[in-house]
Amino acid sequence: MGRIYDATWGRAFAALYDHLLEGTEEAGLRDVRRDVLAAASGRTIDIGAGTGVNLELFPDAVTDLVLAEPDPHMAKRLRQRLSESARQAEQVVAPAEDLPFEDSSFDTAAFTLVLCTVPNPRAALAEAARVLKPGGKLLFVEHVRSEDPGLARWQDRLEKPWRFIGDGCHCNRDTVAAIEAAPFTVESVERGVLPKSPPIVKPLVRGSALRSA
Ligand SMILES: C[S@@+](CC[C@H](N)C(=O)[O-])C[C@H]1O[C@@H](n2cnc3c(N)ncnc32)[C@H](O)[C@@H]1O
């Protein structure tokens, strides 16, 4: 978003993030995360891990956990949470578009509330496909463009101010279409709402996709 923005609001956003989401997590988002992440297994990467809200939600079937987060303010909070957790994980400071891992080196990749924010979702999905083994699982929980044309129009109108408030978050992305256009076969998509959130970020999708062979 720019150096001054990142050093001021970007820093404050990371500091406030858990607090801002607390009501939403308690009203159901944490349960959605847990349900979706329950399908993770083997070597798993949480891409854009933020402050580490998913850390305790990965099941025991996850044998190795990598947390990738490029933002230095988020990464600092992630490091702190990891140091206080019994859960072992490797943290890397890396963007979704350029992950420092070999091809086909993960069984599962997770995006939660990240494909709304990454500068290049197409490149991020291509990179997730690259690091996943063929048949590997992509798990996602994302707020998306509304299927209601009226609300979608408001998402388009308010995209810029929301992006400014939301540390780069785009409220009008059709993320399911982006996943379908990437080298994945969608297994399941469920639509719902992000509880206790403004209307333009309410439409939520959760689901899974398999890395094409
Ligand atoms: C709304 S937060 C979500 C954090 C966390 N995944 C969650 O579920 O709460 C968006 C996250 O995407 C991260 N992000 C922004 N650009 C990114 C990129 N290019 N690659 C990976 N993550 C990115 C941000 O730093 C932030 O941590």
Side-chain angles (χ1 to χ4, degrees):
M1 292 284 290
R3 283 229 309 277
I4 294 175
Y5 180 97
D6 291 344
T8 53
W9 180 234
R11 187 191 191 109
F13 187 82
L16 293 171
Y17 185 76
D18 290 349
H19 181 65
L20 289 173
L21 249 71
E22 209 176 298
T24 299
E25 297 285 1
E26 279 168 18
L29 177 59
R30 189 172 298 120
D31 292 336
V32 172
R33 291 178 186 277
R34 190 179 285 107
D35 281 359
V36 170
L37 297 175
S41 64
R43 188 163 192 241
T44 296
I45 182 164
D46 187 1
I47 303 173
T51 60
V53 286
N54 291 336
L55 183 59
E56 309 295 342
L57 305 179
F58 285 100
D60 293 343
V62 170
T63 50
D64 299 283
L65 182 60
V66 172
L67 308 173
E69 170 55 51
D71 177 82
H73 309 300
M74 288 285 189
K76 183 176 154 200
R77 281 163 203 284
L78 181 58
R79 204 167 295 116
Q80 179 69 31
R81 187 180 295 224
L82 194 49
S83 73
E84 291 164 1
S85 171
R87 179 108 217 186
Q88 298 293 307
E90 177 191 352
Q91 182 177 347
V92 294
V93 178
E97 297 88 344
D98 187 15
L99 297 170
F101 298 102
E102 291 188 3
D103 297 359
S104 307
S105 51
F106 287 92
D107 301 288
T108 310
F111 285 112
T112 64
L113 310 183
V114 171
L115 290 168
C116 54
T117 299
V118 295
N120 188 339
R122 213 170 119 176
L125 284 162
E127 187 66 346
R130 183 188 69 75
V131 300
L132 276 172
K133 296 172 185 170
K137 235 180 221 307
L138 180 80
L139 303 175
F140 54 89
V141 177
E142 294 286 342
H143 70 82
V144 292
R145 185 175 190 80
S146 177
E147 290 188 300
D148 167 14
L151 180 53
R153 266 195 302 280
W154 275 107
Q155 290 176 314
D156 291 338
R157 281 185 200 118
L158 296 175
E159 192 268 344
K160 255 193 197 154
W162 180 261
R163 181 151 38 101
F164 189 80
I165 299 166
D167 199 26
C169 170
H170 302 252
C171 59
N172 59 352
R173 283 185 173 166
D174 186 348
T175 295
V176 174
I179 295 170
E180 285 169 346
F184 289 105
T185 305
V186 173
E187 275 192 311
S188 71
V189 181
E190 202 178 310
R191 291 186 183 262
V193 292
L194 190 61
K196 294 203 172 179
S197 63
I200 57 167
V201 290
K202 263 205 187 309
L204 190 76
V205 294
R206 55 191 278 190
S208 65
L210 297 181
R211 162 74 166 102
S212 308

